[in-house]
Structures are given as C-alpha cells and as structure tokens.
Amino acid sequence: MGGYCINKALLLDEREIEEYADWQFDSFEELWEAAAEFAGDRLGNWDNPWVETIGCTSERFNTSEFISCEKHSLWVEQDRDWTETLTNIFKSLGSVEHQIAARFLNNPDQDRLIQDITAQIESAIHQENFCNARALVTALENLRLAGLPCFRNAYQLTSGGNDDAYDLRNKDWGAGRRVIVEIAFVWE
C-alpha cells in the first residue's frame, strides 16, 4: 500500500497509560500494546488521514520495537534502547550534536543543555547555516515543560506539517517511565 505519510513521535508516560488501561505492565510487550491504544485514543478518530502505529520505545524497559510492516520508522528502531531513540529524535528534528545529546541524557541539566545548544546556534549563525539555527531554537521551545528537547506542546499537533515530536502527557512525571510511540498520519 502506498500513500503519503507524516510521522509523529508522541511522548507518553506509563502512569497515564496504566490509569487508562487499569493495568500495571510487567513486560514491554504488554506496555507497547496498551501505549499504542492509548496514543490512538488521545489522537481521536481520523478517517483521512488515518493513523498507523509504527513503533514504541520504553525508558523503563530500555528497548524498542518496530511494529508496522508497511510504514517507515524515522526514530524507533528494533531493539534499540531509550537513549538511542531520543538521540535520533534530537538529531533529526533539532540538529542537536551527538555529544550534546549524550551529555544531556547522562545528566539532564536543562540549563547546561540551553548553554550547549546556544553555542551550537551561534556557530550555525556564524557559518550562515540558518536552517540548523532555526531547528536548534525549535528544539528548545518546550524544553521546560516536556523535560526533553524537540517535543512540542500537544495542542500544536496536527496531521499535516512536517515530521515532528509532541508531548501528550498531562504533566511531566519525570524520568524513569516515559514512553515514545511513533505514528504516521497516512493519506491514501
């Protein structure tokens, strides 16, 4: 099946998924099934485009699974850990350098991340790489609310636009039990 797709990474939390499912997850397999259902419910009904779940990654279980056989994943890769998925998102959506992403993921100091990315922005402007500078600024726009770079507010989520990442959690529960579900809006 062909079609035009736009991928979205959806940041969720196990606490909210467990409340929704009325179940505590003992395995990644249980979690990703419920996370995909929860994400679909949060998105609502879409006829055109329709929504396809592509993959899921879990911070607690530190693994990911590619679910879709038909659509291409941009960020979630089979059997990759949480950090690898986030690094993929930070690089592809925010142009965040690998060493900056690694430092932040080892020590999530938001002030240090802002300093590091500001230096990267200044370098991009000096090199007249304005597309990179814009991506880096965008990476920081919701940092304080999401706790991670590159994740926009849920109210900004649309089926159109570019491939992007959104924080669909009711609040930032902190580290440890975050989940990312990658979906595609598909037009046939």
Side-chain angles (χ1 to χ4, degrees):
M1 267 187 171
Y4 178 70
C5 300
I6 295 178
N7 291 32
K8 307 290 182 179
L10 310 176
L11 180 61
L12 309 170
D13 194 279
E14 281 187 49
R15 292 159 192 87
E16 294 174 12
I17 300 166
E18 286 176 345
E19 184 179 319
Y20 168 84
D22 196 27
W23 187 264
Q24 293 204 336
F25 309 110
D26 297 322
S27 70
F28 176 67
E29 291 72 25
E30 290 177 347
L31 172 61
W32 77 251
E33 288 178 26
E37 183 179 317
F38 177 74
D41 192 56
R42 291 292 302 265
L43 292 171
N45 293 328
W46 293 81
D47 292 327
N48 190 23
W50 53 275
V51 177
E52 181 171 330
T53 301
I54 296 177
C56 180
T57 188
S58 162
E59 185 174 21
R60 178 167 61 112
F61 294 108
N62 201 31
T63 192
S64 59
E65 184 157 336
F66 184 71
I67 299 166
S68 174
C69 296
E70 294 185 22
K71 303 302 173 213
H72 176 70
S73 171
L74 298 178
W75 308 292
V76 175
E77 297 178 26
Q78 189 70 28
D79 300 322
R80 297 297 174 123
D81 67 26
W82 174 255
T83 300
E84 290 172 303
T85 301
L86 284 178
T87 301
N88 285 343
I89 291 170
F90 298 168
K91 179 65 179 165
S92 70
L93 296 178
S95 298
V96 178
E97 292 176 356
H98 182 76
Q99 70 269 20
I100 293 173
R103 184 172 30 251
F104 176 73
L105 292 170
N106 285 331
N107 177 18
D109 180 343
Q110 292 179 6
D111 292 327
R112 173 67 191 265
L113 179 66
I114 291 169
Q115 289 174 357
D116 289 345
I117 290 180
T118 299
Q120 198 180 344
I121 292 167
E122 290 170 353
S123 175
I125 291 171
H126 179 73
Q127 297 168 15
E128 296 185 10
N129 188 344
F130 302 117
C131 289
N132 245 15
R134 180 181 39 223
L136 288 160
V137 169
T138 301
L140 295 176
E141 74 182 23
N142 196 39
L143 174 64
R144 296 289 188 202
L145 292 174
L148 294 169
C150 302
F151 285 88
R152 296 174 178 268
N153 288 313
Y155 68 83
Q156 294 173 304
L157 176 63
T158 68
S159 61
N162 298 318
D163 300 320
D164 225 333
Y166 296 88
D167 181 0
L168 296 189
R169 301 169 301 166
N170 291 328
K171 70 176 192 174
D172 181 1
W173 296 88
R177 299 183 66 199
R178 294 173 292 192
V179 175
I180 295 172
V181 173
E182 184 175 348
I183 59 107
F185 286 105
V186 183
W187 287 264
E188 294 290 350

